[in-house]
């Protein structure tokens, strides 16, 4: 099968969707599918593309404006590549389907991933919901990343199929983290470390983690806090850390290099990311919970958005009611005091991460696209499973 992936988020830029698209394309290719990616062209892209085994069409345009390029030029790419299916990583690029006239798109399966936040906020501002609804009604299938995001789609009434596919994780890569490397570097050997690695935005609610650390530090004198990542909320969080007098036990690591991610996760005894949902934002899933789980690190979070699909409550981590910081602090205290509980949850977290690997994610999406492509062009039929190779 020939798959054209159109995404405004792709490496070298970093983030959950960038990781998703990179791993999806890589594993689709490894499973025997012909893949081509269309995406923006930020600094450092040539170095990334040189290491990829499939072609990438780079577009010199702002990420959020990729849809404008798509309207004018996607016909040419489709004509050259002749895909069986087009997969949009964001619905915005699917505005190509809204143009009038006889288009190549009529014979090509059309699908879009749905992550959650883009259903509320986009470059179309106040027209986001109406535009999203129109685009989704022209799609053959929408692929939300969780049950919560699937429920967000219902008011938009997509006319095609809706199939949930969870994101994945490279469990083998993260399982190789060194549990002592970061602790030793920070002088924290023998301490209990909690924290997260994420883009520092209000939705991640790192402030609740800092307040929990301030409330628990006397009860748990070996407590340390590790915050990896950067973002628009970074300055506010550093200021709050000072106000709470946590500077002696809290370290802001800044952006964590890809090669050091596993070691930073491995330094944690508990990953704490109490992400919150608002009327215009949510955590659609939360790949970081899987990445930590691959190292046997249990997670503590609020029961919000799609987080309950990433963390199995009382099995791979603990979920508490959104906004209940007292419950969050009590759960964290219990986890720090109960090593057998942490170990049991960590074993389950590792098993869940192994089950939700990127190979499984790519196979599920490939099956959906193949079914849609066969329906669009019945004479083509689905791809021969025997032609696929096993993902490395």
């Amino acid at each position: 099968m020939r798959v054209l992936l159109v995404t405004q988020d792709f490496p070298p830029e970093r983030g959950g969707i960038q990781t998703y698209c990179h791993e999806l394309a890589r594993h689709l290719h490894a499973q025997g599918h012909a893949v081509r990616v269309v995406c923006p062209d930020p600094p450092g892209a040539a170095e990334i593309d040189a290491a990829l085994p499939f072609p990438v069409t780079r577009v010199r345009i702002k990420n959020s404006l990729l849809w404008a390029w798509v309207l004018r030029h996607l016909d040419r790419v489709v004509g050259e590549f002749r895909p069986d299916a087009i997969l949009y990583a964001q619905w915005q690029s699917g505005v190509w389907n809204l143009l009038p006239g006889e288009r190549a798109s009529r014979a090509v399966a059309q699908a879009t991933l749905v992550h959650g936040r883009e259903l509320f906020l986009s470059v179309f501002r106040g027209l986001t919901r109406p535009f999203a609804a129109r685009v989704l009604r022209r799609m053959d299938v929408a692929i939300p990343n969780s049950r919560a995001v699937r429920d967000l789609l219902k008011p938009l009434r997509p006319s095609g199929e809706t199939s949930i596919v969870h994101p994945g994780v490279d469990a083998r890569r993260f399982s190789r983290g060194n549990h002592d490397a970061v602790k030793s570097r920070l002088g924290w050997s023998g301490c209990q470390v909690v924290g997260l690695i994420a883009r520092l935005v209000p939705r991640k609610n790192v402030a609740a983690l800092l307040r929990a650390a301030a409330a628990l530090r006397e009860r748990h004198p070996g407590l340390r806090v590790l915050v990896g990542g950067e973002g628009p909320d970074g300055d506010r969080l550093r200021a709050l850390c000072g106000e709470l007098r946590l500077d002696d036990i809290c370290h802001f690591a800044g952006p964590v290099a890809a090669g050091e991610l596993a070691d930073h996760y491995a330094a944690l005894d508990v990953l704490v990311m109490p992400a919150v949902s608002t009327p215009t934002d949510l955590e659609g899933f939360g790949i970081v919970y899987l990445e930590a789980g691959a190292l046997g690190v249990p997670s503590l979070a609020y029961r919000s958005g799609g987080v309950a699909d990433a963390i199995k409550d009382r099995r791979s981590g603990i979920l508490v009611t959104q906004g209940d910081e007292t419950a969050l602090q009590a759960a964290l205290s219990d986890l720090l005091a109960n090593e057998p509980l942490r170990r049991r949850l960590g074993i389950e977290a590792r098993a869940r991460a192994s089950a939700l690997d990127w190979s499984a994610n790519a196979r599920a999406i490939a099956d959906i696209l193949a079914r849609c492509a066969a329906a669009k062009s019945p004479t083509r039929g689905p791809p021969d499973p025997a032609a696929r190779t096993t993902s490395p």
Side-chain angles (χ1 to χ4, degrees), residues 91-149:
W91 67 263
Q92 294 95 313
S93 298
V95 296
W96 187 60
N97 276 330
L98 301 182
L99 292 178
E102 293 294 325
R103 309 186 54 78
S105 65
R106 303 289 174 88
V108 180
Q110 306 276 308
T112 184
L113 302 176
V114 189
H115 313 280
R117 185 173 186 263
E118 76 277 19
L119 297 177
F120 301 110
L121 299 171
S122 78
V123 70
F124 299 114
R125 298 181 183 274
L127 295 176
T128 291
R129 299 283 285 178
F131 261 124
R134 290 189 64 191
V135 170
L136 288 164
R137 288 168 196 161
R138 296 292 296 270
M139 289 289 166
D140 297 300
V141 61
I143 306 174
N145 57 0
S146 66
R147 291 171 294 171
V149 175

Side-chain angles (χ1 to χ4, degrees), residues 178-191 193 263 267:
N178 185 323
H179 290 268
D180 298 319
V182 174
K183 282 187 176 183
S184 296
R185 189 161 70 234
L186 295 174
W188 288 357
S189 296
C191 296
V193 182
D263 286 351

Side-chain angles (χ1 to χ4, degrees), residues 320-366:
V320 299
T321 302
Q322 175 172 318
D324 190 342
E325 292 199 12
T326 299
L328 184 76
Q329 294 165 15
L332 181 54
S333 184
D334 288 345
L335 285 166
L336 293 172
N338 192 336
E339 184 178 356
L341 174 61
R342 293 199 310 273
R343 188 182 304 116
R344 177 177 65 78
L345 295 174
I347 291 170
E348 288 285 344
R350 192 189 299 271
R352 178 142 183 82
S354 296
L356 291 176
D357 67 4
W358 287 116
S359 295
N361 169 274
R363 281 193 296 272
I365 288 178

Side-chain angles (χ1 to χ4, degrees), residues 200-225:
L200 303 185
V201 294
R203 179 180 80 243
K204 306 297 184 180
N205 197 22
V206 182
L209 163 63
L210 297 179
R211 287 190 289 268
L216 297 176
R217 65 177 302 175
E218 288 189 11
R219 194 181 316 168
H220 301 277
L223 178 63
R224 300 293 184 270
V225 181

